[in-house]
Amino acid sequence: MVHEDTICAIATPPGPGGIGIVRVSGPSAVPLCERLVRLRCGGTLAQVRSHRLQLADIFGCADPQAARGSESGRPGVSRLTPSPLDTGLVTVMRGPHSYTGEDVVELQCHGGPLLLRRICESLMAIGVRLAEPGEFTKRAFLNGRLDLTQAEGVLDTIQARTEASLRVAQELMRGRLSSEVEVVQASLIRLLAQIEAGIDFVEEDIAFVTPEEVTNALAAALRGVNKLLDSWEAGRLLREGTKVVLVGKPNVGKSSLLNALLKADRAIVTPIPGTTRDVLEETIAIEGIPIRLVDTAGVRETLDPVELEGVRRTRQSIDDADVVLVVLDGSAPLDDDDRRVVEQSGTRRRVFVMNKADCAHRWSDEARTVLQSDPPQAAIVTTSARTGLGIEVLRRAIVQSLPRGMEAAQEVFVTRLRHREALGRAREALLHAQDAVADRLSSEFVAMDLRAAVSTLGELLGEVTTDDLLDRIFSEFCIGK
Ligand code: GDP
């Protein structure tokens, strides 16, 4: 795909910085930048070697607005600023060996927002268009430099906030998921070709593949797809963050525990019951895994309308939680409000936290038995939010309550819903194909299901896309990527 226009954007984050980069990509990137750049070594951008840094003075348009409005839109040399806007390093990266696959010029300047804006405005004045969010990566995809999952991996890499999410994002960007999907897809294409050849030669009664071979190939493909689907839960938690919700009746120390976990005093901690009325969320990393900690209003019987709304949201948070921390006051006997929380969180992965361990303990053995007998089995951790006792144990218990395999560095993870849905549909099609073989239906039916599976996997890789899908994916990017 050849784009006619040339785009530019500031590629570095907004605000002052050591270095600021303006990126230009498109068929006219070199000749247009040539107008603003004077190489210190002499010569022109058209002559320089690709992928080499060049020291250069970078000029701007003296009056960018007027230049853009002028008939030709092409300022002459005289309309450049009399002195350079900046001196920096310029790199030409000639297509197709560039990020976008097109000619790319990067102007590395001092990282002042005004300066970078002036350079972009000058480029726009001579006919370069400001890039849309993610447009560089979209061009890379449309020019075949990346498949769609890799482009998504670029986005996830930029957005990753913890070690483990960065690791899975980079695997996606490097094409780990695509290569696994491609292996399955290629095996199905081979099988489909053999089955279709059999259909073409049905009169001659020639079989290109035995029913047993079809069964084995389908089973192998299903194993591949199922393996990927099995990684979804852990993959999603790694990309989106694991939602860990603190619940418990008022005043048991939920906000204090959240603070202890954050090691920062952001939640409102007060001795008056029922003051954490809204839901508060903070993200931390435990063993590199992103954990979204959510504090909630205390769950207890109440008639106060404001508190009732808080309690309703708490129930919602429990339903949305990946892990529930059931916080109980170890210095007071287990009561009906506690039992209600234990009951409400019964269907979730959870950890029981017996807080206020610095106070005299008032728990009977019976209370522990209630927790331990309550399925599913959950760890009971003793903490003091006040002294910090048990907080490390609690951090470990949170990680241990998560699905297995999240720390496995070598695994491929399915991290995006789009991928999971496509794999789910491919799985359905393969199961249909298996049924068709088992029911000894005509090969045409098996071929039809195989075609569906192949095209669904192709959708995942971005072989077939709609503008709508691309807009949705690339609009999540920042400008300049
Ligand atoms: P929440 O309503 O469950 O969020 O409870 P808070 O975190 O607001 O704490 C309620 C009260 O219990 C505050 O006075 C805290 O200082 C106190 N508190 C919280 N954790 C502990 C603890 O581990 N030990 C002791 N002694 N007091 C605590």
Side-chain angles (χ1 to χ4, degrees), residues 248-257 268-276 295-296 298 327 355-359 383-387:
K249 69 182 181 196
N251 232 19
V252 288
K254 295 180 295 297
S255 312
S256 312
L257 272 172
I268 315 153
V269 183
T270 91
I272 308 154
T275 44
T276 311
D295 190 9
T296 59
V327 186
N355 191 37
K356 306 201 185 181
D358 54 297
C359 301
T383 61
S384 165
R386 183 159 287 175
T387 66

Side-chain angles (χ1 to χ4, degrees), residues 333-335 339 362-373:
L334 201 68
D335 64 15
R339 287 196 185 87
R362 302 264 299 281
W363 268 36
S364 60
D365 289 344
E366 180 253 344
R368 270 182 177 273
T369 317
V370 168
L371 301 187
Q372 270 158 347
S373 64

